[in-house]
Structures are given as structure tokens and as C-alpha cells.
Amino acid sequence: IYPDTMAAKGLVLCHAGRLDEGIDLLEESLAREHVLLQKPLPLLAAALKGKSRLGLSDTRCGGELDTSTEYNLAKALGIRGRDGDMKRVVNLLEVATRRKPQSTANANMLGNAYRRIARVDDAIGQYLHCLAFDPSCLDAHINLIACYQIQGNLAASAKHAREAVRIDPEVKMSADGVGPPIAALVKSLERMGM
């Protein structure tokens, strides 16, 4: 099986909720990709380097989307959330972000991974990097609201809350739309003088 075929099957399994099986195929695909890129098969290696794959993207940002096996494996591992998975997620996303620095999806997801392992300053750096490519990236603004609140920087949190509401007046704190409205947060912060 070619790495692309294996990665596609892995993604289908992940979408079907069979994360362990999907992750196994994505990891095998990634391993085969690395082997093929090292061997003297120039046409295949060149084809794999620029090849676009299926993606598990749910980012509310513009900019370039990364659909690489590293990105998709990191997303699946993050969803699975087992002990030790987050370190692997960070490593995969750091590679993907260095390879494709203009990808807002990579920057946003790497920021999320950093935040999950309590590297809030690094997370903020990634979200700001994301905004450098797409100032209207709703996810980056929402994530910055949370990070700045963790740091106790309510003024910066309020700035990004206002920007998120400017972009989408109905936006919620979570991507699935079940969190509190950010407009209510903005009003609370304004009452506090922020």
C-alpha cells in the first residue's frame, strides 16, 4: 500500500470513530513516507513532498491549510488524548509548522497543543503567528482570550474578545458553539473597565 492510500484509510477510520486503528495507519503511512523520501526514488519522493492529502481540519481561519500526514496524525492523537500523546502531537506539529510556516491550521493547532501541556507563552506565540497570516482568524482570537485570561492579562483578553465579536457577533467560546457568547464576556470586561 502506498503512503497516501494508507493515510486516506487512516483518516476514514478516524472520522468513523475508530481512532486507534486510524492512528496506526497514519503512523505507518508517515513511516513509509519518510523511508521513501530517503531512498533514491526521485520521482516518487518529489511526488510525495508536494502531495496534498485528505484533511481533518475544523479551523475557522483563512490562509493555507496543511493536509499532511503529520498534521492529521497530530489531530487524531490529540483527539484520542492518551498519556504521552500530547508530546508526540507537539513534535509532529512543530515539524509541520517548520515545513509550512504559512499554515494557520498548523499554528493554531500547535498553540492548542502547547496550551494543553501548560506552555501558555508558546501557545500565545503560535496564535499571534496565525494572526500575522490571517488577522480575522476567529480561532486564534478565541484561543488568545483564554491564554491571556490564564496569564491574568485581562486587557489583552478583552482586545481579542472585541475583535472576535467584530468578526462574528454570534461567536461562542468553543468551536462547537456550545460555550458562552463572547459578546457577554466583552460586556463583563467593559463593566470591569477593560
Side-chain angles (χ1 to χ4, degrees):
I1 292 181
Y2 289 103
D4 276 356
T5 305
M6 192 173 287
K9 285 181 179 181
L11 287 172
V12 168
L13 289 171
C14 288
H15 282 288
R18 294 166 55 188
L19 285 175
D20 290 334
E21 293 172 80
I23 286 169
D24 287 345
L25 280 174
L26 287 167
E27 285 181 332
E28 173 124 4
S29 171
L30 189 59
R32 287 185 184 197
E33 259 183 54
H34 287 283
V35 168
L36 288 173
L37 290 172
Q38 312 270 321
K39 288 186 176 183
L41 299 170
L43 291 176
L44 184 56
L48 284 173
K49 268 189 178 169
K51 190 85 172 178
S52 179
R53 294 174 189 83
L54 296 173
L56 285 172
S57 176
D58 59 3
T59 187
R60 293 177 285 183
C61 299
E64 189 168 334
L65 194 60
D66 189 353
T67 55
S68 68
T69 304
E70 287 95 347
Y71 175 83
N72 288 312
L73 177 56
K75 186 159 180 93
L77 286 167
I79 291 168
R80 183 173 73 179
R82 286 191 187 153
D83 287 343
D85 280 352
M86 284 315 296
K87 184 176 181 180
R88 182 88 198 279
V89 168
V90 167
N91 290 338
L92 287 164
L93 288 171
E94 284 174 340
V95 168
T97 301
R98 279 193 302 273
R99 186 177 33 73
K100 224 174 204 179
Q102 71 280 16
S103 170
T104 55
N106 284 352
N108 199 53
M109 242 177 82
L110 181 55
N112 292 343
Y114 282 147
R115 195 172 71 193
R116 282 180 65 182
I117 61 172
R119 289 174 55 184
V120 178
D121 289 338
D122 291 328
I124 289 171
Q126 288 303 312
Y127 301 138
L128 292 174
H129 177 81
C130 183
L131 290 176
F133 286 99
D134 180 9
S136 64
C137 177
L138 203 47
D139 286 336
H141 286 293
I142 291 168
N143 290 324
L144 283 165
I145 294 166
C147 285
Y148 285 129
Q149 285 182 352
I150 290 168
Q151 289 185 330
N153 187 345
L154 295 183
S157 181
K159 172 188 167 199
H160 289 283
R162 280 189 207 87
E163 188 59 21
V165 170
R166 186 193 65 73
I167 295 166
D168 179 0
E170 303 300 316
V171 69
K172 307 271 187 191
M173 275 301 286
S174 63
D176 56 11
V178 296
I182 293 179
L185 173 65
V186 169
K187 287 179 184 173
S188 296
L189 291 168
E190 285 173 350
R191 281 193 297 269
M192 296 170 56
M194 297 290 149

